Each structure stands twice: as C-alpha cells, then as structure tokens.
Amino acid sequence: MAAGERPLNEVVFLTVAEVAAVMRVSKMTVYRLVHSGHLPAIRVGRSFRVPEQAVHEYLRESYVGVETA
C-alpha cells in the first residue's frame, strides 16, 4: 500500500449525485471529470463511485487563491 492510501474497507465511496452536491456542480460536470481522468472513480455496474478523499484532493489541487496587492 502506498503512503497515504487507506485499506479498501476504510474508503468511503460517494455516488455521482453526492459528489455533485459536495462540489455544488451538476452531475454532468462530475461525469466529465471522471471521463477525463481528473477525478478517479470505480465502475459498479452502470454506476460510478468516487472515493471521498479523491474529491477533497481534487478540490484542494484546484483551489485558486486570490492574491492581494
């Protein structure tokens, strides 16, 4: 197991709708992020599940701070 990874039984998976609610975007935006590879996900049947930690990491990496002059 790589540093920072959790055992699978401890990983919390979110549905696309839950990710959309957390990020306050549409479900289509979440699907685009998954299909583009920006947001990792696993496929369960015809549905996707996204690790909760991946959502937080994506938001942290995408954060744009406002610089003050």
Side-chain angles (χ1 to χ4, degrees):
M1 193 172 345
E5 286 188 14
R6 299 162 69 178
L8 274 179
N9 63 341
E10 293 180 11
V11 176
V12 176
F13 289 99
L14 302 176
T15 65
V16 168
E18 290 170 330
V19 174
V22 167
M23 294 177 69
R24 302 187 100 184
V25 297
S26 71
K27 291 192 293 183
M28 186 54 64
T29 298
V30 177
Y31 283 117
R32 285 188 194 112
L33 290 170
V34 168
H35 287 292
S36 68
H38 288 97
L39 197 58
I42 61 167
R43 193 165 201 141
V44 180
R46 296 180 64 197
S47 303
F48 287 101
R49 296 294 183 269
V50 180
E52 183 179 34
Q53 189 63 33
V55 175
H56 295 298
E57 288 172 14
Y58 175 81
L59 291 172
R60 191 169 28 256
E61 291 170 4
S62 300
Y63 184 79
V64 177
V66 177
E67 294 183 31
T68 56

